[in-house]
Amino acid sequence: MINRKSAREIEYMRSAGRIAAQARELAGAMVKVGTTTRSIDKAVHEFIKSQGAIPTFLGYRDYPSSICISINEEVIHGIPSSRKLANGDIVSIDIGVTMNGYIGDCAATFIAGESTEESEKLVKVTRECFYKCLRYAKVGNRVSDMSRAIQQHAEQNGYSVVRAYSGHGVGTKLHESPEVPNFVERPRRGNDPRLLPGMTLAVEPMVNVGSADIKVLDDEWTVVTIDKKSSAHYENTILITEGEPEILTVCEEAT
Ligand code: MF3
Ligand code: CO
């Protein structure tokens, strides 16, 4: 069952999304050589609390921190620590915010210090995957139309998309239906829902330079690429409407 949000629920989703997007900006501005990932987690935690909101990830399935920070070959779910960011690190930051019981989920990838042509391309293409997908986030399409846009753009650029983790519906729970995969399965398996107004989805391309294969480290959270090549992540929570989709994890009102 895919729940569609009412006007009042959408207002709550906007508030949560705005705070999540502001937190993402704050975190991105802290990505500098020598900064510890824990200090970014702490600053974001305090910001979210200062807004009267709750960091969604803290305690979610016993996750120990308020945000996820995944560096280089780490794909997602990296746990903040005393690790200092090094020159050239590719730093993916994922943030969830609960406000009035509704959740905004977003992520972005930043580079510490000096980027290379390769690291910049990876970050750019991953972000573009989200925006390509957004064009298909319309009534009349199915979830797989969004998934295909992500996969095609990543693969056209010589990258692979992670298959073991997906985007998802989001609302009062962090993970609601439907699943929003970053690839299309052939032959088609399972259901492929049609998009309807009021659906709120976390769309999150995870793009690898090398193979799509991943494993989870012994900390039971950190997802890394098996070939140790870099990975990037970009995510927004969006609302399906009768017209253009609305990005909910934005800092300012779209004009
Ligand atoms: N954006 C991720 C997701 O939706 C973040 C979950 S991290 C966790 O799966 F710590 F909360 F699990
Ligand atoms: Co998510």
Side-chain angles (χ1 to χ4, degrees):
M1 223 279 291
I2 302 176
N3 79 59
R4 296 161 61 188
K5 275 72 179 175
S6 67
R8 183 185 56 88
E9 290 181 293
I10 290 165
E11 260 319 307
Y12 289 152
M13 294 287 293
R14 285 195 187 105
S15 319
R18 188 177 307 119
I19 298 165
Q22 286 169 343
R24 174 174 56 184
E25 289 225 332
L26 170 86
M30 287 184 75
V31 171
K32 292 198 171 110
V33 174
T35 305
T36 68
T37 56
R38 184 175 287 139
S39 68
I40 301 175
D41 179 65
K42 190 163 184 286
V44 170
H45 179 93
E46 277 163 15
F47 171 73
I48 293 171
K49 300 293 275 188
S50 78
Q51 300 300 301
I54 297 165
T56 313
F57 300 169
L58 184 62
Y60 176 82
R61 297 190 178 167
D62 289 330
Y63 185 72
S65 303
S66 294
I67 66 177
C68 304
I69 306 188
S70 312
I71 302 170
N72 300 333
E73 78 281 4
E74 297 173 355
V75 180
I76 48 167
H77 300 172
I79 302 172
S81 71
S82 57
R83 176 172 179 172
K84 288 188 170 122
L85 297 179
N87 193 36
D89 275 351
I90 299 168
V91 184
S92 299
I93 299 184
D94 193 345
I95 301 177
V97 168
T98 307
M99 184 70 177
N100 298 314
Y102 287 81
I103 296 168
D105 186 8
C106 66
T109 301
F110 308 92
I111 294 166
E114 295 155 310
S115 60
T116 62
E117 223 173 276
E118 286 150 56
S119 64
E120 262 180 47
K121 182 185 166 195
L122 174 65
V123 168
K124 178 169 163 278
V125 169
T126 304
R127 199 171 186 280
E128 285 169 356
C129 283
F130 168 81
Y131 284 97
K132 295 275 181 189
C133 172
L134 196 62
R135 297 187 193 172
Y136 294 87
K138 288 186 183 149
V139 173
N141 287 334
R142 291 180 183 274
V143 168
S144 63
D145 295 308
M146 299 172 65
S147 303
R148 187 176 307 104
I150 293 173
Q151 179 177 20
Q152 274 184 359
H153 190 63
E155 291 180 355
Q156 275 163 9
N157 281 280
Y159 299 140
S160 64
V161 285
V162 172
R163 292 161 181 251
Y165 296 86
S166 291
H168 49 91
V170 58
T172 56
K173 284 183 290 175
L174 180 57
H175 297 126
E176 299 184 350
S177 35
E179 217 188 343
V180 185
N182 292 318
F183 71 104
V184 179
E185 251 171 337
R186 255 184 268 282
R188 221 183 81 187
R189 191 177 63 84
N191 64 340
D192 181 13
R194 287 182 190 280
L195 301 174
L196 293 170
M199 288 182 180
T200 46
L201 308 172
V203 176
E204 47 181 322
M206 299 160 220
V207 176
N208 292 355
V209 166
S211 122
D213 296 338
I214 55 91
K215 64 173 182 183
V216 180
L217 296 185
D218 285 341
D219 65 15
E220 292 182 352
W221 280 104
T222 314
V223 176
V224 298
T225 58
I226 299 223
D227 61 15
K228 297 212 164 64
K229 292 190 181 168
S230 298
S231 185
H233 185 203
Y234 186 79
E235 175 179 26
N236 280 307
T237 300
I238 67 166
L239 167 70
I240 305 297
T241 75
E242 297 282 1
E244 294 298 314
E246 179 180 334
I247 301 177
L248 298 174
T249 41
V250 285
C251 291
E252 275 113 9
E253 223 80 291
T255 44

